[in-house]
Amino acid sequence: HLIEEELKESSSFFDAFIKAIKKLKGSYAVATITTYEPEKIFVARKDSPLIIGVGNNENFVASDIPAFLSYTNKAVFLDDYEVAIVEKDSFKVFDINGNEKKKEIRTIPWSLAQAEKAGYKHFMLKEIYEQPRAIADTISGNLSWFSGKVPLEGISPKEFDRVQIVACGTSYHAGLIGKFYLENFSLIPTEVDLASEYRYRNPVVNEKTLFIAITQSGETADTLAAVRFAKSKGAKVLAICNVIGSTVTREAHETLYTYAGPEISVASTKAFTTQVVTLFMLSLWLARNRNTLKEEKVEGLLHELMELPSKVETFLNDERESGKVKEIADSFHKATNALYIGRHVNYPIALEGALKLKEISYIHAEGYPAGEMKHGPIALIDETMPVVVVATKGRVYEKMLSNMEEVKARKGKVIAVTNFTCREVQEKADAFIEVPEVNEFLSPVVNIVPLQLLAYYVADFLGYDVDQPRNLAKSVTVE
């Protein structure tokens, strides 16, 4: 009713709208229609996303691009404290004081086909199967800066002495894997923080810090708040984001895009794997420019990365293995608890696998570093507890075998993600899924795929809305 009150002493509806908006506190994205001017939509934003879709003799207002992608792929992104008047054949953008502003119309490189189910039962299943293409597109889309043909503006590899990664949810798990990459290849001390906690611990951040913000949507409120805090302390901000023109891409000093295409399902899949791939490329780029890896080693790792999409596709096209995942889901979908364990670079995969299960099936699941199992979680294990073990080839393979034996000694049911050659794992597991063998540091991208499918099939067997799980939103735009 603020607008109604302001109308009493205003010369126009727009004047009353601006006066009312100035009185608002907190986050908002507002769209208003009125019988006074029924051909117009009056909009304003602060902290929450608001996008104008620019069509042919029709315009749209939405919080996310897929809402109007079937009509147009051209968009205008409003910034904080901007207002706009949208009509079917025109739009005008103003600052909070009513001064008109020029705004760029961005072309979004997403197709309508990408935003449709294309015969799949759910968007999540479609997006799981789109990962080989998304990974390949992310690699090719980032080769220009990786090869040095296009500079990363303002990001000088030798001018910072630490990295801070900040993200939420699934993006946080990608950041944890990125820490392994940055410290192992680039030899840079790296911290990973949950964005919702970052500002409240008085973090040490300055002009010698490279601050990496990871967000699929580019609109995550906690991550944006952390970005602004880091910038205020003089840090260089690098965003890893999937949405061109989103708020974080406008506020960061530089952005590395993932090329996952629109991700409709709330539970993130292809956004996660493309974030991991982008972090892998970034760590190699830094290693090359900081002289912490020899060039032939960088080229060798890049070659292995190039083969990654086909490795993921091999698993997804193997009907025997995908059928096995479905059988395992059918056997365990009535469980009330689950434990996911992994070590080293696959510890975050245990976290992400558990998150996927609880997000869409509402089954309580915990992800844990396997070496910590004896420090508490082992007390939970009995014959009713499924334990998902990520046990592929790598430096901690023997350790994972030991952890599996500990589970079996307590009568836990072991579901293993492993490689074809890992006969010891297959003999100890109650059920196992074979994934292609890849470089240990790239194994998280392959290993997460069966866990995504496992969560999907469990939720589907339980009859839940996989794409729209209860209480969750695709973009968390409030703190």
Side-chain angles (χ1 to χ4, degrees), residues 85-96:
I85 302 174
V86 181
E87 300 182 66
K88 71 172 185 177
D89 54 3
S90 67
F91 68 91
K92 292 182 178 179
V93 179
F94 307 83
D95 65 21
I96 196 67

Side-chain angles (χ1 to χ4, degrees), residues 169-182:
T170 287
S171 296
Y172 171 73
H173 298 156
L176 290 174
I177 297 171
K179 174 183 171 70
F180 281 96
Y181 295 161
L182 290 162

Side-chain angles (χ1 to χ4, degrees), residues 178-226:
K179 174 183 171 70
F180 281 96
Y181 295 161
L182 290 162
E183 293 190 338
N184 189 78
F185 301 142
S186 318
L187 306 185
I188 304 171
T190 302
E191 302 172 17
V192 187
D193 273 274
L194 289 163
S196 57
E197 293 294 324
Y198 179 75
R199 290 175 297 142
Y200 303 108
R201 67 169 180 82
N202 194 26
V204 178
V205 54
N206 52 41
E207 67 280 354
K208 287 287 190 178
T209 306
L210 176 63
F211 182 94
I212 302 176
I214 310 175
T215 161
Q216 188 281 140
S217 67
E219 304 292 349
T220 309
D222 288 315
T223 305
L224 288 171

